[in-house]
């Protein structure tokens, strides 16, 4: 594929030396979209702008050990919690192929990629965002050690996000925090289809330390993967309207993030979640990722909001789990409500209390 001028900026200066061996380690969080990415074109480019809260506790920790080799093919092994995980290899192989021209050292090394997640196994939480972002950050640190001059933090984050996007679209929003925009939008200067950027405007204090409790409704394998779901937006009867609606919702949420208008915030966020699932239900083939308990939880959140005059709301990702969003000021009451009234609708009563966070960070030895 031809590279644009902007993509070419991610091709590095010639490396000045190649370390024989070494290791780097990064942790990177998951994120939850408020305005959703659903539909892509070209090489991992989004059909509409999305914005997400970066999370704090749900993280992937990845360490990359590398040693120089003579052969020409990509050579890596992947371990999850210390055990070989060959199921991850095709996705990483594809990632290496996509990023090779931006990281021209990849074929010169044999890699051991060791990864673990802070959230429970097969919790159904998408680990591709945190996983691909952690791996991209490791590769960026490795590249830095081969360059004669230090790259700025902004350039590091930008290229890490650019690379992460080529692994998984939503991973482009996991490098920084607490709010990240991915996808070009007229109202957001600096936004790009190629990488995520920190939300560039002041945010009302209502959103400071926002809480997200993830209710684990269903932990099984998804019936339709996100990648397959995105592809079903090609030729989808409502696609053009959906992309417009998302971009309009970015303009609206921009106002809300400035004003702190919580009833409009709730309306945009819940509508986005339901539109995402409406797209799935109206694809051909159509599919449903929500479970009966997903709906039961939504009804209970709505009732609690009304009865308690709360500003609790929900959002969904591409699965049956429910993200319960609420301000820090309601933390105690909402967490008590979750324990007493929502936990029973979770698989094995499991849920994870999380909150917004600041993005990826290096782990020193
Ligand atoms: C529903 O980023 O997992 O979570 O780019 O194919 O890896 P790929 O898809 P992925 O899609 C996630 C979509 C979503 C909404 C969102 O995070 O914006």
């Amino acid at each position: 594929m031809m590279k644009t001028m902007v993509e070419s900026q991610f091709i590095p200066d010639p490396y000045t030396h190649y370390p024989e061996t070494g290791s780097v380690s990064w942790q990177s969080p998951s994120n939850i979209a408020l305005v959703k990415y659903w539909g892509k074109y070209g090489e991992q480019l989004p059909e509409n702008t999305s914005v997400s809260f970066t999370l704090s506790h749900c993280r992937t920790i990845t360490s990359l050990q590398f040693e120089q080799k003579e052969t020409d093919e990509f050579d890596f092994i992947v371990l999850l919690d210390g055990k070989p995980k060959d199921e991850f290899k095709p996705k990483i192989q594809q990632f290496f192929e996509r990023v090779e021209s931006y990281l021209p050292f990849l074929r010169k090394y044999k890699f051991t990629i060791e990864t673990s997640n802070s959230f429970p196994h097969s919790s159904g939480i998408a680990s591709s965002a945190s996983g691909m972002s952690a791996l991209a950050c490791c590769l960026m640190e490795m590249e830095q050690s081969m360059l004669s001059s230090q790259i700025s933090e902004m350039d590091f984050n930008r290229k890490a996000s650019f690379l992460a996007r080529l692994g998984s679209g939503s991973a482009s929003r996991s490098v920084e925090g607490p709010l990240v925009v991915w996808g070009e939008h007229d109202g957001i200067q600096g936004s790009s289809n190629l990488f995520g950027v920190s939300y560039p405007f002041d945010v009302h204090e209502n959103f400071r330390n926002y809480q997200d409790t993830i209710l684990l409704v269903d932990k099984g394998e998804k019936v339709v993967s996100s990648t397959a779901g995105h592809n079903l937006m090609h030729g989808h009867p409502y696609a053009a309207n959906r992309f417009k609606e998302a971009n309009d919702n970015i303009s609206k949420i921009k106002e809300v993030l400035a004003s702190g208008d919580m009833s409009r915030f709730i309306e945009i966020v819940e509508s986005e979640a339901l539109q995402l699932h409406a797209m799935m239900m109206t694809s051909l083939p159509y599919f449903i990722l929500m479970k009966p308990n997903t709906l039961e939880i939504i009804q209970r959140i709505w009732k609690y909001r009304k009865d308690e005059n709360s500003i609790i709301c929900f959002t969904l990702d591409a699965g049956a789990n429910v993200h319960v969003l609420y301000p820090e000021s309601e933390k105690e009451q909402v967490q008590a409500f979750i324990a007493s009234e929502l936990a029973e609708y979770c698989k094995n009563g499991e849920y994870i209390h999380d909150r917004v966070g600041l993005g990826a960070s290096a782990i020193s030895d």
Side-chain angles (χ1 to χ4, degrees):
M1 215 174 272
M2 281 278 288
K3 295 198 192 330
T4 63
M5 282 260 291
V6 195
E7 284 168 309
S8 306
Q9 73 179 0
F10 294 110
I11 296 174
D13 291 339
Y15 299 136
T16 48
H17 81 289
Y18 290 91
E20 286 220 343
T21 62
S23 78
V24 287
S25 205
W26 277 72
Q27 48 176 336
S28 194
S30 190
N31 68 74
I32 181 68
L34 303 172
V35 174
K36 307 289 179 181
Y37 149 58
W38 197 244
K40 59 180 170 181
Y41 68 96
E43 199 163 53
Q44 291 287 99
L45 300 168
E47 292 276 13
N48 62 261
T49 311
S50 55
V51 63
S52 50
F53 276 142
T54 304
L55 297 182
S56 179
H57 304 317
C58 291
R59 286 175 167 263
T60 297
I61 297 134
T62 296
S63 75
L64 190 68
Q65 286 152 43
F66 48 92
E67 89 187 55
Q68 267 192 48
K69 67 173 177 66
E70 296 301 325
T71 51
D72 195 41
E73 74 282 5
F74 294 128
D75 187 350
F76 62 92
I77 56 168
V78 197
L79 305 171
L80 175 66
D81 297 327
K83 294 191 201 80
K85 191 79 180 167
D86 288 348
E87 299 98 288
F88 287 179
K89 288 192 89 173
K91 191 138 188 173
I92 293 174
Q93 174 78 26
Q94 182 189 43
F95 172 65
F96 276 13
E97 285 163 13
R98 285 183 184 156
V99 300
E100 185 185 5
S101 49
Y102 307 105
L103 298 172
F105 61 85
L106 284 180
R107 283 181 200 271
K108 291 194 191 304
Y109 287 91
K110 175 180 166 47
F111 296 99
T112 303
I113 304 166
E114 279 197 77
T115 180
S116 62
N117 295 320
S118 66
F119 36 89
H121 289 308
S122 64
S123 56
I125 296 181
S127 57
S128 70
S130 52
M132 283 297 172
S133 140
L135 180 57
C137 290
C138 285
L139 291 167
M140 280 304 294
E141 184 178 334
M142 190 179 163
E143 173 166 84
Q144 174 66 83
S145 72
M146 302 179 188
L147 292 167
S148 59
S149 60
Q150 186 74 25
I151 58 173
S152 69
E153 192 182 324
M154 189 180 97
D155 287 344
F156 183 101
N157 287 345
R158 214 162 249 204
K159 183 166 172 184
S161 171
F162 171 86
L163 298 170
R165 180 200 104 237
L166 290 165
S168 180
S170 54
S172 68
R173 299 188 313 242
S174 273
V175 175
E176 294 180 87
L179 267 167
V180 178
V181 180
W182 170 43
E184 210 175 310
H185 194 278
D186 284 348
I188 301 182
Q189 67 257 30
S191 58
S192 168
N193 283 347
L194 298 175
F195 47 82
V197 294
S198 250
Y199 184 74
F201 307 111
D202 285 343
V203 173
H204 194 278
E205 63 178 353
N206 284 356
F207 300 102
R208 195 172 308 143
N209 240 339
Y210 225 69
Q211 308 287 308
D212 177 6
T213 298
I214 306 156
L215 306 179
L216 305 175
V217 172
D218 188 53
K219 309 208 271 176
E221 272 288 301
K222 281 184 215 162
V223 280
V224 178
S225 73
S226 287
T227 303
H230 285 290
N231 284 334
L232 292 173
M233 290 303 278
H234 295 296
H236 190 294
Y238 304 128
N241 275 334
R242 162 62 200 151
F243 303 144
K244 181 173 181 313
E245 186 75 10
N247 286 329
D248 289 350
N249 277 339
I250 292 283
S251 306
K252 288 183 190 162
I253 210 164
K254 183 181 152 186
E255 286 171 24
V256 164
L257 291 170
S259 68
D261 180 340
M262 298 315 286
S263 55
R264 284 191 77 207
F265 176 77
I266 291 169
E267 193 173 276
I268 297 164
V269 168
E270 293 190 345
S271 166
E272 275 290 319
L274 296 176
Q275 284 188 37
L276 168 70
H277 284 257
M279 289 303 107
M280 300 173 187
M281 289 191 254
T282 47
S283 304
L284 269 181
Y286 40 80
F287 58 105
I288 301 180
L289 297 183
M290 290 184 287
K291 297 280 179 195
N293 283 354
T294 311
L295 295 178
E296 187 63 49
I297 289 166
I298 292 174
Q299 304 289 348
R300 283 174 179 258
I301 288 173
W302 284 346
K303 182 167 186 315
Y304 176 88
R305 183 159 77 218
K306 192 155 175 266
D307 292 352
E308 304 297 323
N309 207 8
S310 157
I311 51 175
I312 188 173
C313 69
F314 74 87
T315 187
L316 307 168
D317 56 18
N321 296 337
V322 181
H323 287 248
V324 187
L325 300 176
Y326 50 99
E328 196 176 26
S329 58
E330 290 191 22
K331 186 171 166 179
E332 230 170 278
Q333 307 88 293
V334 170
Q335 293 191 352
F337 161 65
I338 290 170
S340 68
E341 286 193 50
L342 302 182
E344 62 193 282
Y345 298 99
C346 301
K347 265 253 153 78
N348 309 321
E350 276 186 276
Y351 52 86
I352 303 168
H353 289 313
D354 209 336
R355 59 178 160 79
V356 297
L358 293 177
S361 55
I363 303 171
S364 46
D365 293 338

